[in-house]
């Protein structure tokens, strides 16, 4: 049976403050952060005791014991316990992917309402045992006799007892995202001064947004934090210029703690529904989710840089929707590193890159930077890996609501050489 697609409405969002890891949210789990965030969303929209058709949540730094994280979060909220939920993980694009999946279900008519979101914490890392120890413990557990068990216990070596900490490095290259971005900025000739200036502007925009009260109904207090703690409204390009390089310690290094996102803990969630659901329940529609796109590039064998995949995701999204890069009133581009964003902008302007990597006859062109991250970006607000996409959707949706009309583009780079993009409009 052919189904007419439903329009997908963004009804609103909530998040807890994004804070520097190992500070306010030390010993706080993803489940705790997401439960607090969802309960705030539930309270904001009067959803207590109500059944939502679907909840999709995700995180990157998770433990194997959190195998049913989304459902456990729902069970800890005041939603009707008949609300189903499922986990998603797409590195830093995780919660933008949850939004996309909920949107697809609403569009297809499978569901009428949904919540999408994500979180991450570096303060509650899933520290694991070495695989060698895990395998030996399994063998011990499967032993048939006490004697056999003792023999296998004696095979454990001191090296087996060394804990395995998760690292933010690419398994295929052994390099961190910062090291990969250092390679990118050198290839694209992005200077340290450009990166520091970009970071400075991000902080100034976020500081102004807070001063104007933009985040007052988006960010709820949690564990003593009332606003994003990474934001530095007193920073200057001169202060940023004095910081030491963080990934390339030579004189050629240009990425610092100031123009790179800090390790961050936090959570964000978005409430979504069909146009009819919004009408039936008296909810104002902030914006509409139009379309989403994920893409991946070869960053291992001489291809584009690790964090350049959004260039491809955006190109495919524009092509499918018959739009130009300039056909947007607002741009929410995730700032993993100032250099990463600057490389992306430069690549869209490059005829050679767009032809080789994107398969286009001409470059996508330049965007108006005054329309980009107008309420601050990840460099100022922070970047909990699994929460950033939902934060971008919530921010952009409110911007469109306040503007009364317009179209916005979201672009998020991720580990593994992937990128996720989306279009919202009002």
């Amino acid at each position: 049976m052919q189904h007419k697609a439903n329009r997908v409405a963004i009804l609103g969002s909530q998040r807890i403050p994004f804070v520097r890891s190992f500070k306010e949210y030390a010993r706080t789990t993803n489940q705790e952060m997401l439960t607090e965030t969802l309960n705030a969303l539930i309270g904001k929209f009067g959803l207590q005791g109500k059944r939502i058709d679907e909840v999709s949540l995700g995180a990157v730094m998770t433990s194997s014991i959190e195998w049913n994280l989304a459902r456990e979060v729902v069970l800890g909220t005041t939603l009707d316990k008949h609300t189903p939920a499922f986990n998603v993980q797409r590195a830093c694009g995780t919660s933008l992917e949850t939004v996309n999946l909920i949107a697809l279900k609403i569009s297809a008519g499978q569901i009428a309402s949904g919540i999408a979101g994500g979180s991450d914490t570096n303060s509650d890392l899933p520290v694991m045992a070495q695989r060698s120890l895990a395998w030996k413990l399994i063998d011990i557990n499967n032993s048939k006799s006490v004697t056999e068990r003792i023999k296998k216990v004696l095979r454990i070596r001191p090296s087996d007892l060394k804990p395995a900490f998760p690292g933010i490095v690419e398994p295929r290259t052994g390099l961190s995202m910062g090291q990969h971005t250092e390679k990118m900025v050198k290839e694209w000739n992005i200077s340290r001064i450009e990166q520091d200036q970009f970071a400075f502007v991000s902080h100034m925009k976020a500081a102004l947004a807070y001063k104007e009260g933009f985040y007052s109904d988006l960010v709820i207090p949690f564990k003593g934090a009332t606003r994003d703690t990474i934001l530095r409204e007193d920073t200057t390009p001169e202060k940023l210029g004095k910081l030491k390089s963080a990934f390339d310690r030579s004189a050629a290094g240009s990425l610092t703690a100031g123009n790179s996102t800090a390790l961050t803990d936090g959570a964000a969630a978005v409430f979504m529904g069909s146009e009819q659901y919004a009408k039936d329940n008296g909810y104002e529609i902030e914006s509409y989710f139009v379309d989403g796109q994920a893409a991946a590039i070869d960053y291992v064998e001489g291809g584009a840089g690790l964090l350049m995949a959004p260039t491809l995701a955006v190109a495919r999204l524009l092509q499918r929707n018959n739009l130009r890069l300039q056909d947007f009133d607002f741009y929410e581009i995730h700032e993993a590193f100032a250099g990463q964003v600057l490389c992306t902008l430069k690549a869209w302007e490059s005829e050679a890159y767009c032809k080789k990597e994107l398969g286009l006859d001409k470059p996508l062109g330049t965007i108006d930077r005054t329309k980009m991250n107008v309420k601050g970006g990840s460099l100022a607000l922070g970047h909990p890996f699994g929460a950033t996409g939902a934060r971008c959707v919530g921010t952009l949706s409110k911007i469109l609501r306040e503007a009364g009309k317009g179209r916005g583009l979201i672009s998020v780079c991720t580990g593994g050489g992937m990128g996720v993009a989306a279009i919202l409009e009002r």
Side-chain angles (χ1 to χ4, degrees):
M1 181 177 71
Q2 191 171 12
H3 170 77
K4 182 180 179 181
N6 294 316
R7 293 190 78 186
V8 180
I10 306 294
L11 305 177
S13 70
Q14 290 274 244
R15 65 180 179 91
I16 58 175
F18 290 177
V19 306
R20 195 175 296 274
S21 295
F22 316 112
K23 299 289 186 179
E24 289 85 352
Y25 301 167
R27 294 171 175 77
T28 303
T29 66
N30 281 310
Q31 185 172 329
E32 289 178 88
M33 292 191 295
L34 279 167
T35 301
E36 183 76 11
T37 303
L38 260 66
N39 271 329
L41 196 68
I42 292 162
K44 185 175 183 177
F45 291 96
L47 300 173
Q48 297 93 334
K50 295 184 179 180
R51 179 178 61 82
I52 297 300
D53 291 334
E54 189 75 276
V55 173
S56 178
L57 304 172
V60 178
M61 293 294 180
T62 60
S63 167
S64 58
I65 63 174
E66 296 176 313
W67 58 272
N68 210 7
L69 174 64
R71 174 61 174 158
E72 288 300 322
V73 168
V74 166
L75 291 173
T77 69
T78 57
L79 286 174
D80 186 310
K81 302 308 187 236
H82 294 89
T83 298
F86 65 98
N87 298 350
V88 171
Q89 204 271 61
R90 193 194 284 277
C92 301
T94 292
S95 55
L96 186 52
E97 189 63 34
T98 67
V99 171
N100 186 45
L101 292 172
I102 292 295
L104 287 171
K105 285 174 172 266
I106 292 171
S107 177
Q110 291 183 2
I111 63 175
S113 63
I115 293 174
S119 70
D120 252 302
T121 170
N122 295 287
S123 303
D124 183 44
L125 289 176
V127 181
M128 299 173 60
Q130 297 289 337
R131 272 207 169 94
S132 57
L133 176 62
W135 291 336
K136 288 174 182 178
L137 291 175
I138 291 171
D139 288 342
I140 292 169
N141 187 61
N142 291 334
S143 298
K144 303 298 184 183
S145 67
V146 174
T147 301
E148 184 182 356
R149 185 174 291 112
I150 292 172
K151 286 181 180 179
K152 290 180 178 178
V153 167
L154 294 175
R155 293 175 186 171
I156 296 175
R157 298 291 178 262
S159 59
D160 296 327
L161 302 177
K162 183 180 178 181
F165 289 90
I168 309 173
V169 297
E170 290 296 311
R172 298 285 173 177
T173 64
L175 300 178
S176 69
M177 291 188 186
Q179 290 171 315
H180 272 283
T181 305
E182 276 284 9
K183 295 172 67 174
M184 287 163 49
V185 297
K186 290 177 175 65
E187 178 184 351
W188 287 97
N189 296 314
I190 307 296
S191 72
R192 165 73 183 271
I193 293 175
E194 289 177 277
Q195 295 174 62
D196 287 346
Q197 179 63 28
F198 187 94
F200 168 71
V201 170
S202 183
H203 280 275
M204 293 304 101
K205 287 179 177 179
L208 180 60
Y210 264 105
K211 184 177 180 180
E212 294 175 341
F214 177 82
Y215 289 111
S216 61
D217 64 338
L218 294 182
V219 180
I220 61 162
F222 183 56
K223 293 204 166 182
T226 58
R227 58 183 285 175
D228 304 311
T229 64
I230 292 166
L231 172 59
R232 294 291 179 265
E233 55 191 315
D234 61 345
T235 194
T236 65
E238 291 73 26
K239 288 181 180 179
L240 291 167
K242 293 178 181 178
L243 298 175
K244 294 180 180 179
S245 56
F247 302 100
D248 179 353
R249 302 289 184 174
S250 73
S254 61
L255 270 70
T256 71
N259 58 39
S260 308
T261 50
L263 291 176
T264 314
D265 302 340
V270 180
F271 181 35
M272 306 166 65
S274 67
E275 196 169 30
Q276 188 62 48
Y277 174 84
K279 181 180 179 181
D280 291 344
N281 290 276
Y283 293 126
E284 176 192 357
I285 295 175
E286 281 196 341
S287 67
Y288 291 95
F289 184 93
V290 177
D291 200 1
Q293 176 71 51
I297 47 91
D298 175 12
Y299 67 98
V300 180
E301 299 179 5
L306 172 70
L307 299 179
M308 297 297 284
T311 60
L312 181 55
V314 168
R316 289 176 177 169
L317 191 60
L318 295 177
Q319 187 174 34
R320 185 165 64 245
N321 288 274
N322 194 29
L323 291 169
R324 300 176 305 143
L325 185 59
Q326 295 73 31
D327 291 338
F328 295 87
D329 302 285
F330 303 99
Y331 302 84
E332 276 291 323
I333 299 181
H334 165 46
E335 303 166 351
F337 305 89
Q340 157 259 321
V341 181
L342 293 168
C343 286
T344 295
L345 297 178
K346 208 166 183 179
W348 282 334
E349 298 169 359
S350 167
E351 183 173 355
Y353 179 89
C354 287
K355 184 174 183 178
K356 178 185 176 184
E357 300 293 342
L358 310 184
L360 303 175
D361 295 330
K362 58 183 180 179
L364 291 177
T366 304
I367 69 171
D368 182 350
R369 291 199 194 180
T370 65
K371 300 177 179 179
M372 183 175 68
N373 300 344
V374 297
K375 303 301 180 182
S378 300
L379 288 168
L381 302 173
H383 172 41
F385 309 127
T388 288
R391 191 269 299 169
C392 289
V393 171
T395 297
L396 178 57
S397 186
K398 183 178 177 181
I399 289 170
L400 290 169
R401 186 193 78 196
E402 290 189 344
K405 63 178 181 178
R407 181 187 293 124
L409 175 68
I410 298 173
S411 170
V412 179
C413 61
T414 92
M418 297 184 291
V420 191
I423 297 171
L424 304 186
E425 68 179 16
R426 180 180 172 101

